[in-house]
Amino acid sequence: MLNLTICDDENTQLSLLELYVGEWARERHCETDIVLCRNAQELLFRREEKREMDILLLDIDMPGMNGLSLARRLRGEGEETQIIFVTGLSDYALEGYEVEAVSYLLKPVKKDRLFACLDRARDRRGREEPALLLETPGGVARVRLKDVCYLESAAHDTQVHSASGGEALRCRTGIRQLEERLEGAGQPFFRIHRSYLVNLAYVNRIVRKEVVMDNGEALPVARSKWEDLNRAYLEYYGQKQNFA
């Protein structure tokens, strides 16, 4: 059984996508359970009822919480559903892929393209890991979040330092904007200073004025951040022990 959710505030679009998904399932001889939601709140309510979502067809431009914010929240809560954005907006394509979307389809949706996306979503369930797509001087680069040790502000750009070492990757996006993108991404990042955002998984120890990373680098901690950093660090490792 493949559990599939369609979330769109337009009734005609919901009906059309439901029709297309039904055709796809029959052609693939795939048993599906389809649930329709008209906004983010309805989807979250269904999810609280333990409704599983293997694949999610998600609009972006919806009243209240938009689709991109919803996707970030789902990822932040550990939801691994395969997301296919189906929207009339083209402005958020890059950010959409940061929540590991399978694809980004513009309305009106072509049935053959939707079928191809559904095939890909079904095949890749459980195989992908969260990543950032970064605009660099050499083009767009994909970086897995678990490989990021810390981010360092560099004027209007950001240096992305890898946990494996080597030269940092320069990104043409400010650290504040990257921090917003990482919120809800399901990774333990914490802003320790106006110039540094660290992955708690690579923090070796915390002292009064700095953190020491696993690679031995010492990074400054703002005085106002020290208590919150300790709290976040203890909470992160407490959760890891609970699931060990």
Side-chain angles (χ1 to χ4, degrees):
M1 171 71 74
L2 194 66
N3 297 299
L4 196 143
T5 299
I6 305 171
C7 186
D8 197 301
D9 62 318
E10 299 177 9
N11 289 330
T12 54
Q13 187 70 18
L14 275 176
S15 299
L16 179 62
L17 291 174
E18 183 182 24
L19 176 65
Y20 284 171
V21 170
E23 290 183 23
W24 172 82
R26 287 191 294 273
E27 287 187 12
R28 276 38 174 193
H29 304 288
C30 178
E31 185 178 0
T32 59
D33 178 28
I34 303 173
V35 168
L36 306 181
C37 299
R38 289 165 180 79
N39 52 57
Q41 289 70 28
E42 184 176 354
L43 184 145
L44 292 171
F45 178 78
R46 294 282 190 130
R47 186 166 172 267
E48 287 179 358
E49 296 180 326
K50 306 302 181 184
R51 157 71 190 176
E52 293 184 7
M53 292 187 296
D54 296 313
I55 299 175
L56 170 61
L57 300 182
L58 181 59
D59 187 20
I60 289 181
D61 189 19
M62 297 186 294
M65 182 186 296
N66 67 31
L68 192 56
S69 297
L70 173 61
R72 286 174 174 158
R73 173 168 173 175
L74 292 175
R75 290 291 187 246
E77 295 176 355
E79 180 61 67
E80 297 180 352
T81 184
Q82 299 300 313
I83 299 172
I84 301 172
F85 284 111
V86 182
T87 179
L89 301 174
S90 61
D91 298 339
Y92 299 97
L94 185 61
E95 292 177 78
Y97 286 108
E98 289 172 5
V99 291
E100 286 296 278
V102 175
S103 191
Y104 192 102
L105 299 177
L106 291 177
K107 300 175 183 178
V109 177
K110 294 182 179 180
K111 185 165 65 173
D112 58 340
R113 289 202 62 195
L114 177 61
F115 281 22
C117 290
L118 289 169
D119 287 339
R120 191 156 65 248
R122 180 191 58 185
D123 294 342
R124 84 172 205 176
R125 278 186 302 152
R127 296 207 308 255
E128 296 293 331
E129 298 177 340
L132 276 174
L133 287 185
L134 303 174
E135 295 182 64
T136 74
V140 177
R142 180 178 181 273
V143 178
R144 294 185 302 178
L145 296 187
K146 73 174 187 178
D147 292 336
V148 177
C149 182
Y150 68 93
L151 306 179
E152 179 183 6
S153 179
H156 297 295
D157 296 345
T158 303
Q159 297 277 13
V160 180
H161 295 262
S162 170
S164 59
E167 186 177 354
L169 181 67
R170 192 175 189 93
C171 168
R172 288 175 167 168
T173 305
I175 193 170
R176 185 180 297 277
Q177 186 176 349
L178 287 179
E179 182 180 20
E180 291 174 354
R181 292 183 186 179
L182 287 168
E183 290 179 0
Q187 300 294 314
F189 286 91
F190 189 90
R191 186 73 168 271
I192 62 170
H193 185 277
R194 65 181 181 180
S195 298
Y196 293 96
L197 185 68
V198 301
N199 188 339
L200 295 177
Y202 297 110
V203 172
N204 183 274
R205 65 182 184 274
I206 304 170
V207 294
R208 196 66 185 177
K209 295 182 179 180
E210 63 186 20
V211 297
V212 179
M213 309 303 289
D214 284 343
N215 61 9
E217 289 188 76
L219 306 177
V221 177
R223 183 181 301 176
S224 61
K225 297 287 187 178
W226 192 82
E227 289 187 3
D228 289 340
L229 170 61
N230 277 272
R231 190 178 301 112
Y233 192 61
L234 290 172
E235 181 179 345
Y236 168 65
Y237 277 98
Q239 290 175 347
K240 287 192 67 175
Q241 290 172 3
N242 288 339
F243 287 100

